[in-house]
Amino acid sequence: MVTSHSSAAKEAVPAATGGAIVSSETGAPSASTVLVPLKLNAFALTPATCASTNNYSIAPITQPNYTFLRLHDNLIVPDILDHVDLHQVSPANLNSRLTDLGTGQTRQNRLGVYIHWTLPPVYRAGSAAAPTSSGATDPNQADRKLSQGFPSSSAAAPSYGAATDYTTPDFRPVPNRWLVIRHINTTTVAPAGAKIPEFQSWIIESDRLWNINDSDLKTADLEVDVSPSTNPLLFDPSNGTVVEGQAEAFIGKCTPTGTWSEGTGNHIKLNVMTSSNPLFADYQPHNSNVFSFLDNFSYTTSSGATAYLTKASCDYQVIGWHSDANQDPFTTDPRVTAPPHVNRLNDCQMALKSGESDSTTAWLRSSNPTRVLCHATMYDVAYDATSVPPNIKANTAGQLLQQKQSIAVGVTPLDALMAYCRAHESIDSAVLATLEQDLLRIQSLLITGESDDVDALQAAADECYEQAFSKSEGGTLWHFHQESDPSTVPTTTQIATMETLNKNQKLLDNTVREVATKRWELFANWWLYVSGFGQTVSTGTFQSNVTGIAQRLSDLTSATGRQAELKNNIETATASLTVSSMKQQPQQGTADRFFQRKEPTVLFGNIQAGFENDFSDATKVRLDDQVVIPAAGAVASGWTTLKTTLDSIIPKLPTALQTSARALGFEFYQLRTANNITSATLPQVIPWFHNETARSESRGRDMWQGTQPWMPLFIEYEAVYYHVPFSKWKLKESPMLSNWGASVLHYGFDEDIGKSPNVDDRTISGRVILEPQAAATLSNTLQQIFQNTNQGDLENIYGMPASEQANLLNNLSYIEFASSGMTSLTSDLLTLQQGGQHVKPTVRLTNSAPIAVQAATTAATAIGFSPTLMQAMDTQTTMTPYGSSVALDSDAPPLKLVTHGQLMFTKLNVIDKFGQAISAINPASINYGAANPTISPCLSDTYFPGTVGNVNPSDSTARANCVIPQGDNKSCPFINLPPAINQPARLNAAFVTKSNESWKTSSEWENPIWGWLVVNFAEQGLQFFLADGTFYREVRFGGSTGTQTTTKWLPYDPPTTLPSTSQLDFLIQKLSFRSYLSAFVDMILQSTSSNQVAAPDSYATFSSAIVGKPLALVNIGYSLELSGPENKNWSTVNTQGPDLHLLQPNGTSFPPKAAGGYTFPVKLGDVDRTFDGLVGYFNSATAATGSLTGTPAASDLDLSSIYTYYPSNASPLPDDPRVRISASTGNFPLFTPYFNPAGKAGDPIVDQATNMQVFGVIMDPFLPIHAYSVILPNKALSLPNWTVQEALRKINAFWRIGPMLVGTDMPQTYDPTRALDTDSVDLGVVSSGAKEATDPTETLPKVALPLPAPVASASGANAMYRYLQPYVVPIIDQATGANLGNRTEYNVFGISGDAAAGADAAQARLPDGPYTAIEGYAQIVQKDISAVSVV
């Protein structure tokens, strides 16, 4: 156990020689220093690491070449960092990293131990305001950053006349001084007797700026002694050399501590993004003497020559700090109030490792100034220049990558992981065989956090499909916000104003997207002209392009432009709706998002994460009085010069940090391997990366243990994309394991595509940073879900008892994997290059909008660029156009508006932070111009190409259906890329209504239902109701023609105001044919009895629940919308347009199946998914389908065919109108994309509902209808709750009874005081309707019908029966008294229980005679349930 220490002990611990170990002369800091642990890694580079027999390679040093930022002589390139070349890297004499290939001499100065420290999250997270107009200029953002510990420069006002913009990410300054201490066991060195001290130390100045002409660099090794960087000191946009000077800058300096002093030379403000290189902080070859250090074990011989040790065992400590206290994250700018330290810890993603205790509470609540000191250690690093360490993780990873199917491709990391598990079930242990099933069972929780059955698991699997798409904002959607009385409905005028408001808003959203596109097009033309990649384009053409783009931007953004006009329209509309008298105020909401399919995710199994598993957790820090230091006299042999070493180097540090640094120096000694300390007593606290018994930290993360680290950081790939003609892709349905037996719609082939020669292929390449901690992140997510989900549900629903949960977590820990998306695939198909470092014509400084670089403007003045126009590019400068920078492999059109093809890897390398590389495909075997080796990755269902002839893949004769035929059933090197639109799009779905003979989207206050229907089992017919539940007509079997259609409205009177019923009339007319009615009823019975789920429990409170669910008749509009115009071809090598277009040349949509255009089928509903409410649908009418008296001459719908999943189960009925919905018959609705341009000021405001394809739909009102397109996420549409609730309160089932004998006489004449009213819902009293008695307490007369009294009459849904008796009533002209004819009216009677044998009689009985024969209607009614809600 380590001895506890106090602050006094810390200043007077005697050494073995009796002197004080910790000196007090330097003074103590004003508050406890925050000690931040870093992970230190050590890598030994020797010639043996380049042996040809290794399963890994040592990558040559490839650094950013900032020369290619220069604007003259067409030097600029899309990416200043080349791919790592692994073709000739072994043995060592062929590797430029170890050997001077010009002289053949070994670079002895580069051999040795490379140590690299990983910066914690606090320095990697940028602070930025939300990208809105208010957030961009919010003055509180500056104060917020200062309160979080950002330096004063983070709140500086914009310079060089730039506009204020806080949306630029602002990163904290990193520690810029690093003390590296090496302790060497002098008994282990070779050559023996080498004069090398026990301790040596160096100071690294991370921010030291060099120019290539500086004299100190004359003898420096520019690849290991310094790091290439940009020069922030030249970031003056008006400086004509701002770009030129970037090619000559380096940073980093390492100086022996004894000769180092602070304050000499040029220094820059350094953060993780200073060099604009995303690999800068973590890739050691890019940050030499910045965040890493090379110990080449050089020493001076007795003759004064430089020599190098060939063997040594040593320990390292690194201590880092900010040379300027104002840059320290725990320093607070005096302009704001310093928060308590606990708040600052949260802002810095930190937490005290010891938690809150008596000794830390006061500090946590204090806001006194303090400082940060970073520290890291690594013990027992054994270097031998003649060999390699015993354990080389890269060698093992390389072997596994080549010998096993270690690469999987899926839609998401989880999808790829399940594909990996499935492929290894028969190869690896049983662990992987069960892991996939566990993940399948649990994936619904990963999406929604809850579920209850297999149906919900299927729904969750469908939801998972959305994870395959990236999302982009769809804009704003306005709606009424209910503030008070919910019964208040907006007026017709207000609803129309809201519609106008949304039309304007949608066009305004389109202008925002178009402005971003035009800004990028400005940059694209500048790039092609300045780079020379557009040499085939004339200067005049460039001038014309730039002028046109500038004009369009002016049309959109000027004070009188389209945006100003639309904003004014919106302000006018909102002002007219925002009045105090309105109960519903206009409120902004979010419109549906646009989606674009993500690139495939590549997962590497058997490869550990490049970062520690707890890297993203809050960094566990300590205070300086929690350091573990030795007891008095505890300094052991071999460390005897520690005190004198610290005495000489600690004074080099800032005074406020010296005591803390000294304590860390002695902790370096105390926690050495020989001491085996794994616990401490408070206030001492074991540092985070050291072994600790209490938290099972037994990985030895600060002990080298003869192990060469393997920290995968990024992948580089090349692949060949083969474009398969769209005509060969067919929509198919097949059950998939990942969807719990439900059929999944997907694209596949009906032919052997390998038989047709493919002449449209493209080589693409990319570099992708691996996602850190993929396995750890999934494991942590699952642990949280297990903790937050009812344990009974986990066990009973998901089959995941506590033991299985533990097994799943254990199985995840069994496998190591890393993953990343192929982010440049789509951009290449669009003739764009993504992700590269390249020169940008604007510079964006802290808190500033982009500023034009003078040199960049000057380079393009010939084509019309000015500083103002240059700044119009804003931030749209990330992508670069192809131009002539990319050679194309075929003469086929290079632009692919829609991906549909297959991909085969030709290069796939994984590179770690020290430049170790493993290759899935041996680089030495690649022979350009000939067939090259490839790999067969594990493929998820989405990317499996299927088999030729659809043979079962497990069959020995099966062959993958690939563009290059395969020879056996074991190889499938091609990743199938099904059709996907290569720009954001969305599938719109909305209920629509007819207005002025055109379709319009129904507002939230409009009822989209045009009818209800209920099966009348008693009379074998269908009853139809209006949208509000008012009874309309009935069609039933019988009569001379096989069907009977009742008189409208009977037994009720017509409504006072007759609604439009034309569409119902057309449908009823069709149903008057027996064959049509038979098919229709059969379809409904199948849908309600075989598949769809029961109505919600709340429906049982309605009387109509007794006779079954009603079905709603609605019109639904669908459309396929693009977020912008279709993409352009940006290649100047091949300027052909695409084979197929998304839009016509004039920007309008194609007719379905039109030549030259894409057409996409969409499936509506799904019979396998019981959570889908589609019963059937009608297409829109294309011609008149008949006429009825008093109605429009043509139906809106083509009622001749009913598309449904419920055709005849027996032999087909005669003249059956049903058409089975099926992918095999190709009868899915067809859609072509559209885009509505914003136009210019003065253009009409277009209603985008005109682009919708409308369907008449029969649906379960309690379930959504889903649309499945494959190219976009599934789209669900549900009826508004109020429309269902309103109708169900009014729908009362009734049926004809009689003739029937009763034992009492009936009134002979009609009594107007007991007239039937559709709103009369209480059996006990007569409602106060206009035609009824005024006495609300009058009791209804009873009639003793010989009917069994069902249970419902006593309790169910508060429902009871009543009898409706018809009477013939003369129609009298009120003016003349003349008899104009007769009408039928009904009186309401209660049903007496006297005629039944008990409340629940099984059979009827009659009282004694005489009897009366009656004929009328029995009706189910209910008491008032206005408070009931249907959900």
Side-chain angles (χ1 to χ4, degrees), residues 156-159 162-168 843-851:
S159 52
T164 300
D165 187 350
Y166 290 111
T167 61
T168 306
V843 61
R844 200 173 187 192
L845 303 178
T846 303
N847 303 336
S848 299
I851 312 165

Side-chain angles (χ1 to χ4, degrees), residues 977-1025:
L977 300 176
I981 298 176
N982 287 332
Q983 64 185 90
R986 64 185 173 194
L987 185 63
N988 296 314
F991 295 106
V992 296
T993 54
K994 207 66 174 294
S995 175
N996 297 324
E997 296 307 310
S998 63
W999 295 109
K1000 63 178 285 293
T1001 301
S1002 298
S1003 75
E1004 58 192 323
W1005 293 100
E1006 293 177 300
N1007 193 335
I1009 300 170
W1010 52 271
W1012 293 87
L1013 62 88
V1014 175
V1015 178
N1016 181 351
F1017 291 97
E1019 296 185 286
Q1020 296 185 334
L1022 295 176
Q1023 293 180 338
F1024 290 88
F1025 300 81

Side-chain angles (χ1 to χ4, degrees), residues 264 286 343 511 542 739 811 835 931 1330 1385 1400:
T264 59
H286 289 182
N343 291 5
T511 69
F542 276 121
N739 284 70
N811 290 345
E1385 295 284 356
D1400 296 319

Side-chain angles (χ1 to χ4, degrees), residues 1094-1106 1109 1262 1288 1352 1355-1359 1422 1425 1428-1431:
D1097 293 342
S1098 57
Y1099 178 53
T1101 60
F1102 294 89
S1103 64
S1104 54
I1106 297 173
K1109 284 190 298 186
F1262 305 108
L1288 293 184
S1355 58
N1358 290 321
Q1422 61 194 34
I1425 53 170
V1428 175
S1429 176
V1430 179
V1431 294

Side-chain angles (χ1 to χ4, degrees), residues 157-212:
S159 52
Y160 308 111
T164 300
D165 187 350
Y166 290 111
T167 61
T168 306
D170 191 9
F171 293 87
R172 298 178 189 270
V174 298
N176 57 351
R177 297 292 179 271
W178 302 91
L179 170 63
V180 179
I181 302 174
R182 182 192 68 197
H183 167 258
I184 196 166
N185 185 342
T186 55
T187 64
T188 65
V189 301
K195 301 298 182 181
I196 195 160
E198 178 187 19
F199 283 95
Q200 279 186 273
S201 64
W202 300 263
I203 296 287
I204 288 178
E205 298 176 62
S206 297
D207 60 348
R208 177 63 162 90
L209 177 68
W210 302 95
N211 183 276
I212 195 164

Side-chain angles (χ1 to χ4, degrees), residues 752-755 902 945-946 948 960-966 971-974:
D752 182 353
I753 62 171
K755 290 185 176 180
Q902 294 186 339
V948 176
N961 200 349
C962 304
V963 291
I964 298 178
Q966 301 301 299
S971 61
C972 181
F974 287 92

Side-chain angles (χ1 to χ4, degrees), residues 352-425:
L352 280 183
K353 182 176 181 293
S354 60
E356 186 170 354
S357 63
D358 294 340
S359 62
T360 61
T361 298
W363 182 87
L364 286 169
R365 297 176 181 175
S366 169
S367 57
N368 291 335
T370 188
R371 296 288 300 277
V372 158
L373 202 61
C374 298
H375 64 98
T377 55
M378 180 59 66
Y379 295 100
D380 303 325
V381 179
Y383 171 72
D384 186 343
T386 63
S387 65
V388 294
N391 182 16
I392 302 179
K393 291 186 174 182
N395 201 50
T396 303
Q399 183 179 21
L400 291 173
L401 186 64
Q402 295 172 14
Q403 292 181 352
K404 294 188 175 184
Q405 290 178 295
S406 294
I407 298 171
V409 180
V411 173
T412 62
L414 182 60
D415 186 44
L417 177 59
M418 288 192 288
Y420 176 84
C421 294
R422 191 180 312 138
H424 286 77
E425 288 178 3

Side-chain angles (χ1 to χ4, degrees), residues 1370-1381:
I1371 303 173
I1372 305 299
D1373 188 314
Q1374 299 298 316
T1376 64
N1379 189 331
L1380 302 178

